[in-house]
Structure formats: structure tokens, C-alpha cells
Amino acid sequence: MDSLGSVIVVNLLWLVSLALVVTAGAGTVVAYEVCRRYVLGKDAGLWDVAAKAWRQSWRQATLVGLLAVPVAAAGVFALSSLPTLGTGQVLVPLVVVALFLVLLLFWCLPLAARFTNPTWRQVRNGFTLGLTTPSLTFLLGIALVLGGVAVWNFMPAVFVAPGLILLWWCSLLERFFVARGYVQPEPEEAEV
């Protein structure tokens, strides 16, 4: 992935997987792994990395991704109650739903891509890391709001903005994992 075109391809495939709901978890894991390889500077074919990530974690990622379905349904129900209940009654449930979905999508699924643990442990660790590092979660929230504003005001940004946010988030997570000692830093390759 050495060009903006590759970012657009990964972004579009990720958005299609999110739109299909059932494949949202596996699609996010594949997109994260492709972006992680790019962040680490590893040369590997886009499709090879995607196929390997799919084979290794599609079951677990699908289970984790399906946890979002009832929560998203609760969010849709709360949003549909907005005209009758008013903003004051609906704001807190919407914020809770949004936080749950952000933690699931941007903390739990990258852990499923990066580490081999049972599914319940991936979810527990993702929520623990997301809630105990509010600065990173808040920073992600700001990036998502800015990306949403960019897409809302300039529709072609949908082809690039989510992929750039994912790429940025992968680089933050890799530095976070190395700084906390969860993974060893990638060895520098000797120049020939």
C-alpha cells in the first residue's frame, strides 16, 4: 500500500464490510491488519495480507462485530424516539451507544487482529484499554467527529477520510502497544 489509491481501496472494502453488518467485524480486522502492515513498513501484497487476516480471525471478529448489532439497534430506537422524547431524554443513551460502538470497533477488533486470546478476553481487554486510556479514546472521538463533518460537507471525502482515520489509529495503537510492552518493537531492517 504505497499510494493514495491503496488507501481508497482499503477504505472502500472496509466501508462495504461495515454496510453488510454481519461482515463488519471481519472487515475491520482485515482493514486494520492491512493498515498495520503499512504503518510498520512491511512489504506484503495487499490481497495476501487481507487473505491471511481473514483466515486467521474471521470467526472471532464476526462474533465481536455481532455484539454491535443489538447496541446499534438500541441507538436507532433512541434516535427514532427523538421527536417524541426530546433531545434531553435521548442524548445520554446515544452517547453510551456511540461509546460502546467506538470501543468495540476501534479497541476490541484491533486486539482480535493483533493478539490470539479467547473472544471474551479480547472484548474485556478492549473495553478495559479503551476506558482506562480516555485520552486516546477521546482523541479518536474527535477524529471521528471531524471525519464525519468532512464527509457531511464534502461527500467525496467518504472515499478517503475513514481510511485515513483507520491508518492514523493503527499507528497510534502500534506505538501504544509497544510503549506498554504488549508487543516487541519491530526490528529495524539493515540497509544493504
Side-chain angles (χ1 to χ4, degrees):
M1 186 163 64
D2 56 353
S3 68
L4 184 61
S6 297
V7 172
I8 291 172
V9 168
V10 170
N11 180 49
L12 290 178
L13 292 175
W14 183 42
L15 290 177
V16 167
S17 75
L18 289 174
L20 296 175
V21 178
V22 174
T23 59
T28 301
V29 165
V30 168
Y32 177 81
E33 187 62 26
V34 169
C35 289
R36 187 176 78 83
R37 293 290 185 146
Y38 177 74
V39 165
L40 295 176
K42 293 187 175 183
D43 264 344
L46 175 73
W47 301 112
D48 295 334
V49 172
K52 183 179 178 185
W54 178 267
R55 281 191 309 272
Q56 287 180 345
S57 56
W58 73 270
R59 284 187 185 123
Q60 187 176 46
T62 301
L63 285 173
V64 173
L66 287 176
L67 290 174
V69 172
V71 175
V76 168
F77 176 73
L79 199 57
S80 67
S81 301
L82 186 64
T84 57
L85 295 177
T87 307
Q89 297 291 326
V90 176
L91 187 61
V92 172
L94 284 178
V95 168
V96 170
V97 164
L99 178 63
F100 182 86
L101 292 175
V102 163
L103 290 174
L104 199 66
L105 190 68
F106 286 98
W107 281 101
C108 298
L109 288 172
L111 289 179
R114 192 70 167 93
F115 304 103
T116 54
N117 286 320
T119 304
W120 65 271
R121 189 174 287 162
Q122 299 285 29
V123 172
R124 184 193 70 189
N125 291 346
F127 277 95
T128 302
L129 286 173
L131 293 172
T132 58
T133 55
S135 59
L136 283 178
T137 306
F138 185 69
L139 196 58
L140 173 64
I142 290 172
L144 291 175
V145 167
L146 291 176
V149 168
V151 169
W152 185 265
N153 290 321
F154 184 66
M155 192 52 82
V158 77
F159 295 113
V160 180
L164 291 176
I165 290 171
L166 183 65
L167 193 62
W168 170 73
W169 186 246
C170 289
S171 66
L172 280 180
L173 279 185
E174 284 304 308
R175 284 186 280 169
F176 174 79
F177 291 151
V178 169
R180 294 281 175 107
Y182 299 135
V183 296
Q184 296 299 318
E186 294 290 323
E188 297 292 326
E189 293 183 20
E191 298 213 12
V192 180

